[in-house]
Amino acid sequence: MLCVVQLSLSSCGDDDLKKVAKLSKKVSLDTNRTLGVEIIYSDSAKVKAKGFAPVLDKITPASGAMFQEMPKGVKIQFLDDKLAITGSITSDYAIMKEAEKLTIFKRNVVVVNQSLTFNTEELTWDQNKQMFFSPKGIVTRPDGSFANAVNFSAPQDFSYYTAGSGYGETYIDEKLGE
């Protein structure tokens, strides 16, 4: 057993150690952690959404753009003009890339409003386009109909959605034919 340990240690040369030292210098980060954060998003001086995160890390890399990470998840509530809740997004993890104006929600992402529930593992909000995008997910309507949506996109109010392809099940009201 001792011979195996000596062989594996002897395979590390001075060059490998120099590479590790160089890499460790490049990964230098400045992190600022805040607990119990409330984030307010407004547009044209009107509050549009409130977000809640148990942990918010503001990370400033040695080189590159600053970003904010919510490693313990986030819940965002969408608000109307009277500040009534019209919908929500929850996820187990989120990252806000400030320079790109992107927020990426990951793991157990659920969007809920009056017209749909959308479940996915990844959802991106593009602030410039004011649109949400997801590679795939399941859209469920209040009547129980559903669609497995691929290349999902929706405006920031989720008033409608589009999908490139998918399949699902829908229900038709028999009274409509009368």
Side-chain angles (χ1 to χ4, degrees), residues 79-121:
L79 307 170
D80 65 12
D81 292 338
K82 297 176 185 172
L83 301 180
I85 298 170
T86 60
S88 66
I89 295 178
T90 57
S91 70
D92 291 345
Y93 171 87
I95 184 168
M96 294 170 54
K97 298 180 178 184
E98 293 180 19
E100 299 170 50
K101 295 195 175 196
L102 295 176
T103 302
I104 302 166
F105 303 91
K106 292 188 177 186
R107 297 191 307 270
N108 299 314
V109 182
V110 180
V111 177
V112 177
N113 71 14
Q114 295 173 346
S115 62
L116 64 81
T117 299
F118 181 62
N119 293 281
T120 185
E121 287 299 308

Side-chain angles (χ1 to χ4, degrees), residues 6-173:
Q6 288 177 339
L7 287 175
S8 65
L9 289 176
S10 67
S11 67
C12 296
D14 288 332
D15 291 335
D16 292 335
L17 294 175
K18 288 177 186 175
K19 289 178 186 175
V20 170
K22 287 180 184 178
L23 287 175
S24 68
K25 289 178 185 175
K26 291 181 183 178
V27 182
S28 156
L29 300 172
D30 179 24
T31 304
N32 182 3
R33 177 166 277 192
T34 307
L35 304 175
V37 177
E38 180 175 299
I39 304 162
I40 297 181
Y41 171 74
S42 62
D43 186 16
S44 303
K46 292 184 179 179
V47 175
K48 299 287 185 179
K50 285 186 180 181
F52 308 93
V55 177
L56 176 72
D57 292 332
K58 288 187 177 185
I59 300 171
T60 307
S63 63
M66 186 174 86
F67 60 92
Q68 296 180 25
E69 189 175 48
M70 290 151 272
K72 300 285 184 182
V74 66
K75 179 173 185 166
I76 297 176
Q77 297 174 328
F78 297 108
L79 307 170
D80 65 12
D81 292 338
K82 297 176 185 172
L83 301 180
I85 298 170
T86 60
S88 66
I89 295 178
T90 57
S91 70
D92 291 345
Y93 171 87
I95 184 168
M96 294 170 54
K97 298 180 178 184
E98 293 180 19
E100 299 170 50
K101 295 195 175 196
L102 295 176
T103 302
I104 302 166
F105 303 91
K106 292 188 177 186
R107 297 191 307 270
N108 299 314
V109 182
V110 180
V111 177
V112 177
N113 71 14
Q114 295 173 346
S115 62
L116 64 81
T117 299
F118 181 62
N119 293 281
T120 185
E121 287 299 308
E122 183 174 326
L123 181 69
T124 301
W125 178 49
D126 187 324
Q127 186 175 351
N128 291 325
K129 296 178 182 176
Q130 296 189 350
M131 294 284 293
F132 284 94
F133 300 95
S134 178
K136 63 181 178 177
I138 299 173
V139 177
T140 307
R141 298 255 180 212
D143 67 0
S145 62
F146 69 91
N148 285 313
V150 177
N151 296 324
F152 175 93
S153 66
Q156 70 183 20
D157 65 357
F158 283 93
S159 55
Y160 67 90
Y161 74 91
T162 60
S165 63
Y167 62 92
E169 183 175 306
T170 189
Y171 301 101
I172 299 172
D173 188 355

